[in-house]
């Protein structure tokens, strides 16, 4: 029995298992350990693109690839083979490979199998560059067919849960992740060319510091202690600057136990970097250079320099509200309700300001904009401005209405940092579960001297989204978090 488009999946799997057993009975190994090919599909396409219709090369080429379609015509078959580089057509004929080998191909080879082929390149009468197969072998016998007979996988739930099928079926999806890898490489090269050193800091941390977020909690059995999946590498990276590593960066995963939506995934990739003897103004310059390198890899057009605007000027521009820190008690709550933003009475003031900004300003930030001058009270790890201690030397970068980066002139006064941590603990006691914890070991490091330092964090996933014009973070993370089925 042959597979058809209407054959039930269970029947297809049973048929393929029967074929697998028959191959083994006939001494054919359907799962060899390796295959030595001479070219990729793309290399063959490029090297022999000059062949005219009906013309053959005398060169022998070989490659391993997945069979994604086939057309049988009596004692001959055409098959489309794909590898990571592209596609090439293979021509199987009993006269070339022998009657027995052709019979095995026709009866036992299925779409989605991996095969190795060896033969000579030629161009068919229809103009398609192909391989005239002299010999072939199984490389991996697939027990399940490709989705929808390789006509595309559209169900988003299946695409995210079985990303391997998505990559096989949708070339544009694979292209996103190839470009993502290139963007990360471009960022890394740019930083290394500027003398930055890539480092690794702990993912399991005894204190969940460095950001305002809820952590995931785990248990170290041997040590008998709770640990937290890191929400940010900030405090460890700044310890390295204390130790004399004046330009450091890390590209890695952070974990935040929060909601999932089009711009949030609990596990995400961040670039975080620190540079001694500069402030947040230099971090703006560096942001533009890094995003320029990333945009070049994606072929995205970005206009430089980016706009720079103060947070409360933007709020006034788009809402009419004249808000400036320090705030009177209840002022932010009153302002939110005047904008018909429904927030409970006990909402932390930082979150209230976030709601005001999200509703009134963020939708207008389509073009790249550094939003500067955040309240110092909501920025416990940042220096304050010399001319206004209520304002932090901090910015957030927005592109296409999405927050892409956050940066400070880093607070390096250990006594002031201690006071800030104490205030954060008070906020946590009042119900702010995202307030920073007190970290005495970090204070100890600051007491040994942290030079003036600029720090920058860029969300890699969101950067790929905005530069690639992609509307969901799940499209740029290979295995996004999903609910249990």
């Amino acid at each position: 029995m042959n597979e058809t488009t209407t054959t039930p999946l269970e029947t297809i799997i049973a048929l393929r298992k029967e074929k697998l057993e028959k191959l083994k009975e006939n001494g054919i190994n359907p799962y060899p350990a390796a295959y030595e090919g001479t070219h990729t599909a793309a290399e063959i396409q490029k090297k022999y693109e000059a062949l005219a219709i009906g013309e053959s090369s005398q060169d022998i080429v070989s490659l391993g690839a997945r069979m994604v379609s086939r057309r049988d015509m009596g004692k001959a078959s055409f098959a489309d083979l794909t590898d990571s580089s592209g596609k090439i057509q293979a021509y199987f004929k009993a006269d070339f490979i022998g009657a027995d080998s052709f019979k095995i191909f026709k009866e036992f080879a299925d779409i989605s199998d991996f095969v190795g082929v060896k033969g000579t390149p030629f161009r068919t009468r229809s103009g398609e560059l192909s391989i005239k197969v002299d010999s072939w072998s199984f490389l991996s016998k697939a027990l399940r067919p490709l989705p929808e007979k390789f006509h595309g996988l559209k169900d988003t739930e299946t695409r995210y849960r079985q990303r391997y099928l998505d990559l096989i079926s949708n070339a544009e999806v694979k292209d996103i992740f190839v470009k993502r890898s290139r963007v990360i490489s471009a960022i890394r090269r740019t930083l290394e060319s500027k003398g930055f050193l890539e480092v690794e800091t702990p993912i399991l941390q005894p204190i969940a510091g460095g950001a305002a977020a809820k952590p995931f909690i785990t248990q170290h059995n041997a040590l008998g202690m709770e640990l937290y999946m890191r929400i940010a590498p900030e405090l460890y990276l700044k310890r390295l600057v204390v130790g004399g590593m004046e330009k450091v960066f890390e590209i890695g995963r952070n974990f935040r136990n929060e909601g999932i939506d089009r711009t949030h995934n609990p596990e995400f990739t961040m670039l975080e970097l620190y540079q001694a003897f500069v402030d947040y103004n230099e971090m703006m310059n560096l942001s533009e250079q890094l995003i320029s390198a990333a945009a070049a890899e994606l072929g995205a057009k970005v206009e430089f320099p980016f706009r720079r605007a103060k947070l409360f000027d933007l709020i006034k521009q788009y809402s009419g509200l004249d808000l400036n820190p320090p705030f009177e008690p209840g002022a932010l709550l009153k302002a939110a309700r005047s904008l018909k933003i429904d927030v409970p009475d006990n909402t932390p003031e930082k979150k209230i300001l976030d709601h005001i900004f999200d509703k009134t300003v963020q939708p207008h930030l389509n073009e790249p904009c550094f939003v500067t001058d955040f309240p110092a009270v909501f920025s416990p790890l940042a220096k304050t401005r010399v001319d206004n201690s209520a304002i932090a030397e901090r910015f957030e970068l927005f592109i296409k209405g999405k927050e892409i980066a956050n940066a400070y002139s880093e607070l390096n006064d250990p006594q002031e940092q201690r006071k800030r941590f104490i205030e954060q603990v008070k906020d946590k006691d009042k119900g702010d579960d995202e307030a920073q914890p007190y970290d005495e070991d970090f204070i100890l490091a600051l007491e040994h001297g942290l030079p003036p330092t600029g720090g920058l964090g860029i969300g890699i996933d969101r950067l790929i989204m905005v530069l690639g014009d992609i509307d969901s973070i799940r499209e740029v993370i290979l295995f996004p978090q999903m609910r249990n089925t």
Side-chain angles (χ1 to χ4, degrees):
M1 178 179 176
N2 293 321
E3 297 175 13
T4 69
T5 55
T6 59
T7 306
L9 177 60
E10 295 78 7
T11 303
I12 290 174
I13 294 172
L15 283 170
R16 294 193 177 199
K17 286 181 177 179
E18 288 179 14
K19 293 178 182 180
L20 179 64
E21 292 309 311
K22 288 179 180 178
L23 287 171
K24 292 178 179 178
E25 289 170 6
N26 286 297
I28 297 172
N29 181 5
Y31 302 110
Y35 180 79
E36 187 174 347
T38 60
H39 297 76
T40 65
E43 287 170 344
I44 295 171
Q45 293 282 6
K46 183 176 181 180
K47 185 173 181 179
Y48 301 99
E49 63 182 350
L51 287 177
I53 291 176
E55 185 180 2
S56 297
S57 169
Q58 298 304 308
D59 296 344
I60 302 295
V61 300
S62 61
L63 85 158
R66 185 191 294 273
M67 182 165 64
V68 296
S69 68
R70 63 185 284 180
R71 299 167 299 287
D72 295 326
M73 299 171 290
K75 293 185 178 181
S77 293
F78 285 97
D80 287 333
L81 307 180
T82 64
D83 62 12
S84 61
S85 71
K87 185 180 77 170
I88 189 76
Q89 181 173 261
Y91 180 49
F92 296 80
K93 191 175 182 181
D95 293 348
F96 303 144
I97 63 175
D100 291 343
S101 181
F102 184 76
K103 182 180 180 181
I104 291 170
F105 175 79
K106 196 165 183 180
E107 293 184 5
F108 295 97
D110 293 301
I111 292 172
S112 74
D113 287 351
F114 277 91
V115 296
V117 298
K118 182 179 181 181
T120 54
F122 77 107
R123 195 170 296 279
T124 66
R125 283 180 293 179
S126 64
E128 184 162 359
L129 185 65
S130 305
I131 299 172
K132 186 187 297 181
V133 178
D134 296 326
S135 62
W136 75 281
S137 60
F138 280 103
L139 301 184
S140 182
K141 180 65 186 167
L143 300 182
R144 290 174 179 264
L146 296 175
E148 299 180 19
K149 294 298 181 181
F150 202 65
H151 291 155
L153 181 65
K154 303 303 178 187
D155 180 73
T156 54
E157 188 80 4
T158 302
R159 287 181 54 235
Y160 298 149
R161 290 187 185 279
Q162 297 176 277
R163 183 67 87 180
Y164 48 91
L165 295 180
D166 193 20
L167 294 168
I168 293 169
S169 300
N170 299 313
E172 67 277 9
V173 171
K174 180 181 174 183
D175 187 55
I176 289 171
F177 291 104
V178 170
K179 288 180 176 177
R180 176 192 170 105
S181 178
R182 290 175 179 166
V183 164
I184 293 172
S185 294
I187 289 172
R188 181 175 280 115
R189 287 195 304 271
T190 302
L191 290 171
E192 289 175 343
S193 73
K194 294 178 177 297
F196 279 84
L197 181 70
E198 185 170 10
V199 297
E200 295 174 286
T201 61
I203 288 177
L204 294 176
Q205 301 181 353
I207 296 175
K214 297 178 185 177
F216 287 94
I217 304 173
T218 188
Q219 183 76 23
H220 194 296
N221 293 333
L223 296 178
M225 63 184 292
E226 275 191 348
L227 292 170
Y228 302 90
M229 302 289 284
R230 75 173 176 202
I231 57 175
E234 176 169 346
L235 302 187
Y236 284 92
L237 289 171
K238 286 196 279 194
R239 286 174 170 93
L240 298 181
V241 181
V242 170
M245 301 174 78
E246 295 176 356
K247 292 182 177 181
V248 292
F249 76 96
E250 182 169 10
I251 298 173
R253 292 293 213 187
N254 290 346
F255 307 85
R256 298 182 182 178
N257 197 353
E258 298 168 349
I260 298 174
D261 59 28
R262 301 189 79 82
T263 59
H264 293 86
N265 191 71
E267 180 180 359
F268 59 97
T269 302
M270 284 286 294
L271 159 70
E272 196 148 329
L273 64 88
Y274 293 86
Q275 180 177 352
F277 309 115
V278 301
D279 63 7
Y280 76 143
N281 290 295
E282 178 57 26
M283 293 299 101
M284 292 188 213
N285 298 332
L286 185 54
S287 296
E288 291 180 335
Q289 294 165 25
L290 293 172
I291 291 171
S292 176
E297 288 295 329
L298 291 176
K301 293 183 178 179
V302 182
E303 295 292 329
F304 299 96
F306 294 163
R307 177 190 178 194
R308 303 185 183 193
K310 296 178 180 179
L311 171 63
F312 293 103
D313 289 348
L314 290 170
I315 290 175
K316 185 174 183 179
Q317 178 182 349
Y318 292 114
S319 73
L321 293 174
D322 194 2
L323 296 173
N324 282 289
F327 307 111
E328 294 293 327
L332 287 176
L333 184 61
K334 182 180 178 181
R337 289 180 174 167
S338 74
L339 297 169
K340 301 191 184 318
I341 298 172
D342 185 20
V343 290
D345 291 347
N346 63 347
T347 303
E349 287 196 327
K350 179 184 180 300
K351 290 186 178 180
I352 297 174
L353 182 59
D354 288 343
H355 287 308
I356 293 172
F357 178 84
D358 293 348
K359 180 172 181 177
T360 64
V361 178
Q362 195 164 342
H364 300 281
L365 300 180
N366 190 53
E367 296 302 318
C369 180
F370 291 115
V371 178
T372 66
D373 291 4
F374 284 74
V377 68
F378 303 149
S379 310
L381 297 169
K383 278 184 177 292
T384 59
R385 280 178 41 173
V386 174
D387 61 343
N388 187 347
S389 62
I391 296 293
E393 290 195 357
R394 172 186 172 189
F395 72 78
E396 291 182 358
L397 172 61
F398 287 81
I399 304 176
K400 295 183 180 178
K402 296 180 178 67
E403 180 193 343
I404 304 302
N406 188 19
Y408 313 145
S409 297
E410 301 297 332
L411 179 60
N412 60 345
D413 177 345
Q415 296 184 86
E416 177 61 23
Q417 185 65 80
R418 187 187 301 276
K419 292 177 185 176
R420 302 270 194 97
F421 277 157
I422 291 171
E423 290 303 314
Q424 287 286 296
V425 171
K426 291 178 181 177
D427 290 342
K428 186 176 285 288
D429 291 341
K430 293 175 184 176
D432 184 355
D433 54 8
E434 293 184 356
Q436 298 263 348
Y438 189 96
D439 190 336
E440 182 62 37
D441 185 73
F442 179 65
I443 298 293
L444 176 64
L446 290 186
E447 288 178 342
H448 286 83
L450 173 69
T453 298
L456 169 66
I458 295 178
I460 297 296
D461 310 305
R462 289 188 189 174
L463 180 62
I464 304 296
M465 287 175 63
V466 298
L467 294 181
D469 231 4
I470 299 165
D471 65 357
S472 173
I473 198 169
R474 292 184 175 190
E475 297 291 349
V476 300
I477 295 176
L478 279 167
F479 299 101
Q481 187 63 48
M482 306 289 288
R483 292 184 184 276
N484 289 334
T485 56

